[in-house]
Amino acid sequence: MKNLRKIILLFAFIFIAGIFVTVITVNTSLNKNETPRETVEIQKDTLYLLNSEKKTV
């Protein structure tokens, strides 16, 4: 019976440690900043549309 309790305790510890490591990993990946490159591409697209609109009018 003592060995069964030790095994259950070991698995519970591994399970809780796995959850802890997963939460830390997800938090660090969510805290990363997006590159501002997307904003620059959107501005270029907007300028292209504005220029093409001026040419058609």
Side-chain angles (χ1 to χ4, degrees), residues 5-8 10 18 23-24 27 29 31 37 43 50-51 53:
R5 287 184 183 167
K6 287 181 182 178
I7 292 171
I8 291 173
L10 177 67
V23 166
I24 289 177
N27 276 339
S29 66
N31 287 336
R37 183 176 168 195
Q43 287 176 353
L50 287 174
N51 288 336
E53 185 179 325

Side-chain angles (χ1 to χ4, degrees), residues 27-44:
N27 276 339
T28 55
S29 66
L30 288 177
N31 287 336
K32 290 183 181 177
N33 290 332
E34 296 275 334
T35 56
R37 183 176 168 195
E38 294 176 15
T39 307
V40 172
E41 289 176 1
I42 292 172
Q43 287 176 353
K44 286 181 181 178

